[in-house]
Structures are given as structure tokens and as C-alpha cells.
Amino acid sequence: MAPPQKTDYNTVAIEETGQEEAASYTNEGRWLVCSEVITVVAARAWEFSVPLALLGPPGPHASLRAPAALALATTLATATLAPRTGAWADRSDRRRASRVARLAQILGTALGVLGVASLVYDGSRQNYAALSLVLLGGAVESVAAVVSKNAPKKDWAPALFDGDELVDELSRTTSALATAGQVAEVVGPLLGALCVSCLGPRRGACAAGVLNIASSAPAQAVLDSLYAKCSKLRTPRAVREVVEEEKVNAWKRWAAQPSGTSLITLAFCCLWFTALAPHGAVLTAFLATQRADPELIAVFRICGAFFGFIGIAVFSRCSRVSTSDESVSGARSARRVSSLRMASLGALLFQLTCACLAVYALRDGDMVLVFCAAVACSRAGLYAFDVGYVELQQLLVDERDRGACQGVEAALCGAMELGLALTTLVFFSEPSSFVELAELSSLFVLLALVLFAAWLALYRIFDHIHAERDHGHAHTAQDLKRLAGDGRHVHVAYAGVKACARSSHGHAHPHPHPVP
């Protein structure tokens, strides 16, 4: 990957915020968590029930075609439209973007509910008009979720807790958001299952859809309240003043991040190409072919969620840094990034170890329980890495490009899911070939580890001075805010950067001078 291009100070205009009480997890952070829980619980209940409604009543006429078509529609929509949606959010006011995305999500859910409701009166007969409504609604929802679901933790949280003095509050809020999201991932499907068991597949799906629509109002009201209270959220993002295309491709923005976060995103997205997920349809079907009891499969899923909680808790503890004062601008954030780098690497190593153990148990042929235990334990590494990944994105992605990077990430994750589905369908459709599919999933975990290690080697933390505002590498808008006084600061940069061409005082530490 080519090193980032030079950035001139005049390319960024920074607007100062007014004086107000600093944000904290106790005040603003908990409200973000509240909005996250409301959004995810209702959305997961709806997403759980829709495929069951499309499957129809159990019996010889049940078909997987409609649920498969829904998965294909949502994945393709995300892969093609998510980057543009994220780039649009970057150019928009935060509250406006959130409201528009929320309205689009309501529209998508309403279309889905209308389509499922029409199936209630058709029995098991095919109704392509109703199916089309559900597919269209699902596609709209998936694109809107790029902003409504991801923006609070990847844009609102880092904007609220911007600055070295609030790094610890950002970390605390991120961990709380991850834990709340994990709780919602468990409670949501249970709520959807309750609706389906009480009302039937289609009426239950309609009830879950109505609940999803109703939850949008309080979730958005929480964000609106934060927006009105915190001036940092209302302050326009830094803008580029140099002459350039008004709508630069989101993929280019993503690839040109000064801190090399595109490599981290690629590593994260590789983890989505996996058949070793307790909640995955492929793994569930495989366990059924191995005569696993439904109770065992249910316990297996619960254990996966439980180890996810453990992974988040352990990661939060292992990635802690000292809170001593530091006079150099950016040093506190740099210490946090350094801690996250090592903790995230450990999480990936743990996940790879568990995946290899799971493959070994499968190859033995008579160790199903060991296989299930290894897969469940691997979730600790996955969710721990997810927390580290999100916080690294919060700290390192340029605030002007957060939406674009979110969109590209969603597109790549969707592409990985689609690739897994097609690979399974074409090459590993028989239960006897699941071992090879598990091996391929483990290889993608290894690829994620290699990509992350490459980022560790190619992008380092530097402590240096930019004399006379002359520098030979790019900066994010956050870095430019810290460049005050003598120009000394600490930040992540490409390891191959060279010393500045002109300097009246020289560098305090000649480039490259990585911080240990």
C-alpha cells in the first residue's frame, strides 16, 4: 500500500467549540448506550422473525428460496450503496443524517411488514408482489443501518470525547457500547422468538416489525437530546479548502487514511468470512446433521454470547493505560493506541488458536463437544478484537471521512458474507465437506492476523516537531488540531516517512522516531 500523500495545513479549517462542561460516560456516554440498546434489540427481533415468516408454515411446501433471496438482496444493497451512504453522511449535519437514516429504516421496515402481512391471507401460496416488498424493504433497511446503527459509536462517540483529556472516557463508552450491543444481540432474537411462538411466524413477524418501527422514536429522541446538549456534535466537521472534486470516491477516502486504517478494516472484514459462528445458519445445519439435540444447539449459542462478554471484559482490562499527565500533544491518545495495538493482536492470536482447535476436533471425527467448545471460546477473541477495532477507528480515522470508512467497511463485510454463501453453495454444500469449509474459515482468520501484523509494521507511533509548519506526511483533522505552540505532537504515521525538507530548528526527534 502506497504511503499517504502530503497534507498542507491550509487544507483544513478548524472551528473552535465554545466553553462547556467536558463530556463524560456518566452523562453523555450512557445515553449513547441507551440509544444503542433500543435500536439493536428491536432490529434483531425483526431480523430474526422475517426469514421465518418467508419460510412459511412447516411442512413439505416450505422452501429456503425466499429467505435466501432476502439475504442476497440485503447483502448486495449494502455492498453497492453503503460507501456512498457513508460519504453522504460525512457531508451532512449529524442530526440530519441520523434522522434521514432513521426515516429510511422506518420506511424499509414498513414495506417489509406490509409484504409479510399480505402473506398472512395467502397461506402458503407464492406471492411475488409481497416478496418484492419484503426484499425492497430489507435492502433499504440495510443501507440505512450504515448510519443509524454505526454512526453513534464510530462518529458521535469520538466527536463527544474528542481530545487527549477524554481518551479514557471514550474507551469506557466504547466498551459499554460493545457490551450493550452484545446484550441486545441476545435479547433481540429471544424477543423475536417470543412473538413468533405466541402469534405464529407471519403475525409474529408483523408484531416484531411494528415494534421495530415504534422503537425508532425513543432511540432518535435520545440522540436529538445529546445533539442539543453538546456543542461538539453541532460543530461542523473540518472541511478541505483546497480545490478538489466535491464528491471524492468513498473508497479513495478510505484507502488514503494517514494512519493506514484501511489495513485494519481489511483484517476486520476477513473475520466475516466464517462458518464457525454459533448463530450461523451453515453451522447450525451442520450440527443438526450430526444429530445434535436442539437443546445442545441452544446452549451452544448461549455459550458463544457468554464468551463474547468475557472477551470484552478481559480486553477492556488488558488494554488499560496509565492516566498520568502528559504535556506533549497527542501523547495520551498515542499511549491508548499502543495499548490497543497489542491487545488486539492478542485477541486475533487467541481466535486463531481456537479456530485451529475446532478444525482439529472436526478432523478427529468424534469430538463434536470439543469442536463446539472451541468455536464458543473463539467468540471471546472475536468480540475482543471488535472492541479494539472500533476504538482504533474512533481515534485514527479522519473525522471528515468517518462515514465513508463506515460505508466501505459495511460493503466489504457484505461482500465477505456473500462470498461465504456462494462458496458454501458451490463447493461445500455436503455435510461431509464442512471440515474443508472450517479450514477455509480458519485461513481467513490467519489472513486477518497477517494484515493486522502488516499494519503494526508499516504504521508506527512518532513523537516529533513540525518546524515552520513543514512536514512530509499526512495528518487527520484531529492531528491538525493538536499542532499548536512549538508544533510537537505524537501520532500514528507511515513507518517510511522521511524528515521534513525544511526546518529552522530541526526535529526534536529526527524522523522516523517511533515511540516505544
Side-chain angles (χ1 to χ4, degrees):
M1 183 174 296
Q5 298 298 315
K6 178 178 178 179
T7 300
D8 190 273
Y9 280 77
N10 294 326
T11 63
V12 178
I14 305 296
E15 182 172 328
E16 297 293 336
T17 59
Q19 295 294 327
E20 64 177 30
E21 185 179 352
S24 67
Y25 168 75
T26 304
N27 296 323
E28 291 78 8
R30 287 182 177 176
W31 286 112
L32 276 179
V33 172
C34 178
S35 177
E36 173 81 359
V37 170
I38 295 172
T39 299
V40 178
V41 166
R44 290 296 175 264
W46 166 241
E47 291 171 8
F48 175 87
S49 59
V50 171
L52 298 179
L54 295 179
L55 187 62
H61 299 291
S63 173
L64 295 175
R65 290 182 178 177
L70 176 62
L72 180 63
T74 55
T75 303
L76 287 177
T78 302
T80 55
L81 298 178
R84 293 183 181 180
T85 303
W88 165 80
D90 285 331
R91 300 190 301 269
S92 305
D93 173 75
R94 286 188 176 90
R95 182 172 62 179
R96 177 176 177 270
S98 180
R99 286 179 172 179
V100 171
R102 194 79 63 175
L103 288 174
Q105 201 164 10
I106 291 174
L107 174 62
T109 305
L111 290 173
V113 170
L114 182 61
V116 173
S118 65
L119 293 175
V120 173
Y121 302 99
D122 291 339
S124 60
R125 292 179 299 173
Q126 292 181 336
N127 187 328
Y128 292 107
L131 178 60
S132 299
L133 284 176
V134 176
L135 298 184
L136 177 60
V140 172
E141 277 189 273
S142 64
V143 175
V146 173
V147 178
S148 63
K149 180 184 175 183
N150 293 328
K153 62 183 177 182
K154 292 187 179 178
D155 183 29
W156 289 57
L160 275 171
F161 304 107
D162 183 30
D164 269 12
E165 70 281 0
L166 296 176
V167 167
D168 296 334
E169 295 295 329
L170 175 61
S171 176
R172 188 180 177 189
T173 301
T174 303
S175 297
L177 284 169
T179 303
Q182 185 71 353
V183 171
E185 293 283 355
V186 175
V187 175
L190 290 177
L191 181 59
L194 179 64
C195 293
V196 170
S197 62
C198 293
L199 302 174
R202 290 173 176 170
R203 287 186 172 86
C206 290
V210 171
L211 178 64
N212 190 29
I213 294 174
S215 69
S216 297
Q220 185 59 42
V222 171
L223 295 181
D224 287 349
S225 175
L226 279 176
Y227 182 90
K229 178 182 178 182
C230 304
S231 63
K232 286 185 176 181
L233 295 175
R234 299 191 302 272
T235 301
R237 299 175 180 86
V239 295
R240 297 174 175 86
E241 294 182 340
V242 294
V243 178
E244 62 177 346
E245 296 181 20
E246 292 184 1
K247 298 182 180 180
V248 176
N249 187 284
W251 292 88
K252 292 181 179 179
R253 291 272 189 236
W254 167 76
Q257 289 302 301
S259 300
T261 51
S262 54
L263 277 174
I264 316 176
T265 301
L266 289 174
F268 175 75
C269 294
C270 283
L271 301 179
W272 285 69
F273 191 101
T274 181
L276 303 177
H279 60 276
V282 176
L283 181 52
T284 301
F286 170 74
L287 292 176
T289 64
Q290 303 301 302
R291 299 182 180 179
D293 296 331
E295 293 79 6
L296 175 61
I297 298 177
V299 171
F300 175 50
R301 290 191 173 193
I302 293 173
C303 288
F306 174 73
F307 278 103
F309 288 121
I310 292 178
I312 293 171
V314 171
F315 184 89
S316 299
R317 180 172 294 274
C318 292
S319 61
R320 287 178 181 174
V321 295
S322 61
T323 57
S324 58
D325 294 333
E326 176 60 64
S327 59
V328 180
S329 180
R332 205 169 191 177
S333 298
R335 281 203 309 272
R336 181 63 188 161
V337 169
S338 179
S339 176
L340 290 169
R341 284 157 65 100
M342 294 300 102
S344 299
L345 181 64
L348 280 177
L349 284 171
F350 180 80
Q351 186 179 358
L352 180 61
T353 301
C354 292
C356 292
L357 178 60
V359 171
Y360 174 79
L362 274 182
R363 283 209 165 277
D364 184 86
D366 195 25
M367 301 173 65
V368 175
L369 289 179
V370 175
F371 167 76
C372 290
V375 172
C377 288
S378 72
R379 309 307 281 179
L382 173 66
Y383 285 105
F385 181 75
D386 179 67
V387 175
Y389 168 75
V390 170
E391 196 167 345
L392 285 171
Q393 294 281 303
Q394 291 171 338
L395 293 171
L396 300 179
V397 171
D398 195 311
E399 68 177 35
R400 298 165 294 189
D401 303 321
R402 284 172 180 156
C405 291
Q406 291 170 33
V408 170
E409 173 198 311
L412 290 174
C413 289
M416 287 294 179
E417 288 186 304
L418 181 61
L420 175 66
L422 293 177
T423 301
T424 304
L425 181 64
V426 176
F427 300 106
F428 307 109
S429 58
E430 297 298 325
S432 59
S433 62
F434 184 80
V435 177
E436 287 76 17
L437 184 59
E439 291 176 339
L440 184 60
S441 300
S442 299
L443 286 177
F444 270 85
V445 179
L446 176 60
L447 178 59
L449 179 62
V450 170
L451 289 170
F452 192 79
W455 177 71
L456 293 179
L458 292 175
Y459 291 86
R460 308 290 297 277
I461 301 173
F462 293 101
D463 177 1
H464 57 280
I465 289 178
H466 291 304
E468 297 182 353
R469 293 193 168 188
D470 187 10
H471 48 101
H473 56 269
H475 290 87
T476 64
Q478 302 92 295
D479 293 330
L480 293 173
K481 292 177 183 178
R482 301 187 184 111
L483 281 170
D486 62 357
R488 183 182 177 187
H489 71 146
V490 183
H491 72 124
V492 177
Y494 179 63
V497 295
K498 298 180 180 180
C500 300
R502 294 182 292 106
S503 176
S504 60
H505 303 290
H507 282 64
H509 305 285
H511 259 173
H513 184 87
V515 175

